[in-house]
Amino acid sequence: MDEAFVWLCNRSGGGDFLVIRAGGTDAYNPYVQSLCHVNSVATLIIPGREAANDPFVARAISSAAAIFIAGGDQANYINCWRDTPVQLALDDAIHRGIPIGGTSAGLAVLGEFAYSAQNDPPDGPDLGSPLALANPFHPQVVIVHGFLEIPELRGVITDTHFHARDRLGRTVVFMARILASSDAREIHAIGIDPHTAFLLDRGGRGVVAGTGAAYFFEAATRPAVCRPGAPLTFSTISVRRLVAGEKFNLSKWAGDGVGYTLSAVSGMLHSSQANGAIY
């Protein structure tokens, strides 16, 4: 989305813009070059742990003035980059204030918690909301903790292609699993529609851009039923739905948009909205 890339470029200081991914092509290069006035645009493909341990890779990330993690399969990012110089270089860049963004799988790994998709079959079906709600411990529900350390996204899990692929239910399951595990006393989640971005400044203030919506979830009550083979029962999930131009402050977990609450009862989602809509 043009606005998101321009936002990243404007915070790069005109330096080197780096796209990283585990596979694919350098197709982003001419697109970013057409939008931005930066020193250079390059794509670094890091397909496995051997590549992730190559000193050149860490040096390239360390010299970048803006970083964008492309889409693909987030399991590759977790499996191939975790506990390697890539992870260290990314966290160091974040600590130094280098702007970072991502789309699809690249967005999914930005939160403190991440759905790793490790058990998805290659090129197989997506983990759908009905499957996750019916069994929160389905083998495809795999959540990792602490891949990247973005201060504004502590205690947050993200999901993408949100309304288009009906991912609300599985996001609720992710939140329930995190609370049930006691990895967090309170959990937040952000769901982003296609062709939509949340442009987040340091300190936690952000604005939605694009043609879809962004959803911000909060829960602090452990689920009533969250066990293998049993449909999820989980209540008191607060939601805010924002569209382009509306603002949200992650540090206060408050902002513009439409607010409502969700609950899951025996694997079925219910909403406080007048029309019963869950989105």
Side-chain angles (χ1 to χ4, degrees):
M1 193 184 79
D2 292 1
E3 188 173 349
F5 281 96
V6 170
W7 186 91
L8 273 175
C9 291
N10 287 345
R11 284 155 179 77
S12 72
D16 298 322
F17 191 107
L18 182 66
V19 178
I20 62 173
R21 59 196 314 169
T25 70
D26 62 358
Y28 275 109
N29 292 9
Y31 168 69
V32 177
Q33 287 170 335
S34 73
L35 293 173
C36 300
H37 299 288
V38 293
N39 184 56
S40 71
V41 181
T43 294
L44 188 61
I45 298 174
I46 314 167
R49 295 188 70 83
E50 182 178 357
N53 282 290
D54 187 326
F56 169 80
V57 170
R59 288 197 301 269
I61 295 171
S62 296
S63 64
I67 299 169
F68 181 77
I69 307 176
D73 185 342
Q74 59 261 42
N76 290 329
Y77 299 157
I78 301 295
N79 294 338
C80 298
W81 301 353
R82 193 174 192 179
D83 300 323
T84 73
V86 169
Q87 182 183 17
L88 294 175
L90 287 172
D91 277 331
D92 177 67
I94 292 163
H95 178 74
R96 290 185 287 111
I98 300 300
I100 185 169
T103 187
S104 190
L107 191 156
V109 299
L110 295 181
E112 178 182 355
F113 298 92
Y115 166 53
S116 76
Q118 289 173 326
N119 289 308
D120 279 346
D123 301 317
D126 193 27
L127 172 63
S129 290
L131 190 67
L133 286 164
N135 179 12
F137 282 79
H138 187 281
Q140 286 181 243
V141 181
V142 181
I143 301 166
V144 299
H145 180 211
F147 175 59
L148 295 181
E149 297 181 0
I150 299 175
E152 291 77 11
L153 295 180
R154 288 193 183 111
V156 174
I157 188 166
T158 65
D159 212 345
T160 60
H161 308 289
F162 203 65
H163 195 178
R165 298 188 185 178
D166 188 25
R167 287 182 166 172
L168 174 57
R170 79 177 200 178
T171 296
V172 168
V173 167
F174 298 158
M175 296 174 71
R177 283 285 305 272
I178 292 165
L179 287 172
S181 71
S182 299
D183 283 339
R185 294 183 178 179
E186 180 180 68
I187 184 64
H188 295 115
I190 302 173
I192 305 290
D193 279 343
H195 311 294
T196 307
F198 181 56
L199 308 178
L200 177 63
D201 281 322
R202 298 189 79 178
R205 297 176 184 270
V207 61
V208 175
T211 58
Y215 300 80
F216 298 83
F217 303 87
E218 181 177 40
T221 303
R222 288 167 64 93
V225 179
C226 185
R227 60 176 183 266
L232 178 70
T233 294
F234 180 30
S235 61
T236 322
I237 305 152
S238 68
V239 187
R240 293 209 74 85
R241 181 180 67 246
L242 280 68
V243 295
E246 294 184 320
K247 298 177 181 179
F248 198 85
N249 187 327
L250 298 190
S251 63
K252 298 180 179 179
W253 209 261
D256 301 331
V258 176
Y260 57 101
T261 60
L262 286 174
S263 61
V265 179
S266 298
M268 300 295 295
L269 290 180
H270 301 270
S271 167
S272 68
Q273 295 193 90
N275 60 2
I278 59 175
Y279 284 97

